[in-house]
Amino acid sequence: MIKQMPTNNYYRAYVGYNSAHVNWKDYGPWGEVVYPIKSGFTLGYLESRHVLKGLPLFVEYGANIQYLSGKEELREIDLIGHSYKTNIFSLNIPVNAAFRLSFENDTIAVTPFAGLNFRYNLAGNRADEYVNLSGKVETATTKLFDKSTNENGAFNRFQMGVNMGVAFSYKVYTLSVSRVADFLKLANIHNVAFDDKGRLGVTTISFGYAF
């Protein structure tokens, strides 16, 4: 039986798997190879506050630590092999409006939500490894957020994006699916051939425990 107006605040710790992608407008597939970001995981906390009397409307907010990474291998005429691996650690602050519908005396709940996500990149690097024509393995590491070492343009520390999704709860357990699409650029890569702004998109499937 549906409970029309649930007003109890909820608090949740969660862990999630991420599928990630940087949308390069001009850099395109080349950017996806040179700066691969494909997947990762998230560890976070979320709480809510009931805000509107007479409606099950809540404001959700919290914080999470997110790790994203990816690896690609490129083969060219003058190289036996060249691999790129990217790692990024970030702190995220989501702020959402959520509409919670509960059933069976609040045993089951469905909560669609939408809002903003604020991302601050704590650290990140790209590790290159290649074998030259003499057969020697060479390596190089680029700090993505260090302007002095990233010759093509440093990545930006701060992003903001749209966050939306839905959470399904059963007793103290929650399964959530969400999507963050950043509208502030992650990077502006520039060289002789390109001047391209990349924006990050992250889909997260998470499992949470309420307390």
Side-chain angles (χ1 to χ4, degrees):
M1 184 177 191
I2 188 169
K3 181 181 178 182
Q4 295 286 350
M5 303 297 175
T7 59
N8 294 329
N9 297 328
Y10 45 92
Y11 310 87
R12 185 186 310 140
Y14 61 91
V15 61
Y17 168 80
N18 307 119
S19 175
H21 178 75
V22 178
N23 182 23
W24 301 99
K25 183 178 179 181
D26 299 319
Y27 214 42
W30 180 250
E32 296 172 16
V33 170
V34 178
Y35 297 101
I37 299 176
K38 296 182 176 182
S39 61
F41 61 86
T42 298
L43 181 64
Y45 170 78
L46 184 74
E47 64 179 63
S48 73
R49 288 289 183 272
H50 183 244
V51 294
L52 191 60
K53 185 177 181 180
L55 283 177
L57 184 65
F58 296 79
V59 171
E60 296 181 334
Y61 51 88
N64 65 70
I65 295 292
Q66 191 172 83
Y67 170 71
L68 300 175
S69 67
K71 185 175 182 179
E72 283 286 356
E73 185 170 330
L74 175 68
R75 294 191 178 276
E76 298 178 344
I77 296 175
D78 58 344
L79 294 174
I80 296 175
H82 196 149
S83 67
Y84 302 90
K85 184 176 181 180
T86 302
N87 301 278
I88 294 179
F89 288 92
S90 64
L91 171 66
N92 293 268
I93 308 292
V95 180
N96 302 314
F99 194 85
R100 181 180 174 90
L101 291 176
S102 65
F103 305 81
E104 303 297 333
N105 294 321
D106 216 18
T107 300
I108 301 171
V110 179
T111 310
F113 57 86
L116 295 175
N117 184 74
F118 303 90
R119 181 192 312 277
Y120 183 79
N121 296 306
L122 303 170
N125 65 68
R126 188 190 75 185
D128 300 5
E129 182 177 295
Y130 60 93
V131 180
N132 60 25
L133 292 177
S134 64
K136 181 181 177 181
V137 176
E138 298 188 20
T139 60
T141 300
T142 301
K143 295 181 180 179
L144 297 178
F145 304 101
D146 187 345
K147 294 181 180 180
S148 65
T149 62
N150 199 337
E151 62 182 12
N152 288 330
F155 280 37
N156 298 313
R157 292 280 186 181
F158 178 75
Q159 281 85 53
M160 182 167 62
V162 177
N163 181 37
M164 61 182 63
V166 62
F168 304 92
S169 301
Y170 176 71
K171 295 184 178 180
V172 296
Y173 305 105
T174 299
L175 178 67
S176 177
V177 181
S178 64
R179 172 73 176 175
V180 172
D182 287 348
F183 48 78
L184 294 185
K185 64 185 180 182
L186 172 65
N188 187 22
I189 304 300
H190 54 82
N191 56 31
V192 176
F194 297 99
D195 186 13
D196 198 3
K197 299 175 182 179
R199 290 177 172 82
L200 181 63
V202 181
T203 299
T204 302
I205 300 175
S206 64
F207 175 77
Y209 181 84
F211 51 91

